Amino acid sequence: SQTIHQWPATLVQPVGSPLSLECTVEGTSNPNLYWYRQAAGRGLQLLFYSVGIGQISSEVPQNLSASRPQDRQFILSSKKLLLSDSGFYLCAWSVLGRLTGELFFGEGSRLTVL
Amino acid sequence: DQQVKQNSPSLSVQEGRISILNCDYTNSMFDYFLWYKKYPAEGPTFLISISSIKDKNEDGRFTVFLNKSAKHLSLHIVPSQPGDSAVYFCAASAGGRDDKIIFGKGTRLHILP
């Protein structure tokens, strides 16, 4: 069966510090991978999505970046965090080509920038 | 520009009654719609979906209705149970290889005893 894991689960970082959130998927190949953020009053905002290794599409201009160094690994990074980067970050995967359109989410990572 | 809109931030429904959550979309290219349920500090979980070729899909207590001409869909939960208290997200996809799935802001459902 397929599983998705992301870490760390919680993170408290000072403004201006770097960020790295990791996500891995097991039990499937060639998944679409996504990073979403849930911020207060903003719902689930799509940040990045990837259809393959090294292929990243950015949805929202920001100081965040994403990378996909391996087929089932997706990393969210920042060189310098802003206060507005605080939120609940969710990694997700879906079947390439969308047989069902369903997204499978990880447990989430709570980031607090102070 | 919000392509998927959930205009009610919250909704309170008596246990046993019907809960109706609404969603509007603006992109006519969307052809697949999904509802997700989310508890605090957890990732969303898939509830039910509907393709644009249908106008209704039912799964147990959950039914999703799609009105393409109005660009509107709704989720009906009957009967509502205490465990249904959560945030519900409407989502839509236009398909293609990119397969972006766009979410609304969510509606918090409170089931009252």
Side-chain angles (χ1 to χ4, degrees), chain B:
Chain B
D1 178 33
Q2 194 85 25
Q3 296 187 63
V4 179
K5 300 177 184 179
Q6 294 177 259
N7 293 320
S8 298
S10 67
L11 176 69
S12 295
V13 175
Q14 208 75 33
E15 182 179 354
R17 298 289 189 103
I18 182 171
S19 294
I20 300 176
L21 298 108
N22 293 303
C23 178
D24 298 292
Y25 62 95
T26 58
N27 188 343
S28 57
M29 298 301 291
F30 286 148
D31 64 353
Y32 204 85
F33 305 89
L34 310 96
W35 284 94
Y36 284 79
K37 176 179 179 179
K38 185 183 182 300
Y39 294 118
E42 293 183 9
T45 54
F46 171 77
L47 261 183
I48 192 169
S49 63
I50 188 166
S51 163
S52 60
I53 63 173
K54 294 185 175 181
D55 54 19
K56 176 183 174 182
N57 188 26
E58 190 172 352
D59 183 3
R61 296 187 298 115
F62 302 93
T63 303
V64 57
F65 295 92
L66 175 63
N67 182 336
K68 288 189 291 292
S69 60
K71 293 192 177 68
H72 176 84
L73 63 155
S74 60
L75 174 69
H76 293 212
I77 306 173
V78 182
S80 300
Q81 298 175 354
D84 295 330
S85 293
V87 176
Y88 289 78
F89 289 98
C90 173
S93 171
R97 188 169 184 265
D98 285 345
D99 203 15
K100 287 189 297 184
I101 299 180
I102 306 300
F103 285 79
K105 290 187 176 182
T107 297
R108 183 175 298 279
L109 177 64
H110 300 272
I111 303 302
L112 306 171

Side-chain angles (χ1 to χ4, degrees), chain A residues 84-103:
Chain A
S84 57
D85 292 325
S86 293
F88 191 56
Y89 288 81
L90 289 154
C91 181
W93 73 274
S94 69
V95 176
L96 183 66
R98 186 170 66 77
L99 297 177
T100 65
E102 182 179 344
L103 280 176

Side-chain angles (χ1 to χ4, degrees), chain A residues 11-14 86-87 110-114:
Chain A
L11 202 57
V12 180
Q13 294 285 106
S86 293
R110 170 74 59 192
L111 170 65
T112 303
V113 182
L114 301 175

Side-chain angles (χ1 to χ4, degrees), chain A residues 38-70:
Chain A
Q38 184 184 17
R42 297 294 301 274
L44 281 174
Q45 184 183 32
L46 178 61
L47 301 176
F48 300 95
Y49 69 98
S50 170
V51 299
I53 294 174
Q55 300 178 64
I56 310 294
S57 295
S58 174
E59 289 299 299
V60 182
Q62 62 225 323
N63 67 320
L64 300 171
S65 62
S67 62
R68 185 170 178 174
Q70 300 179 42

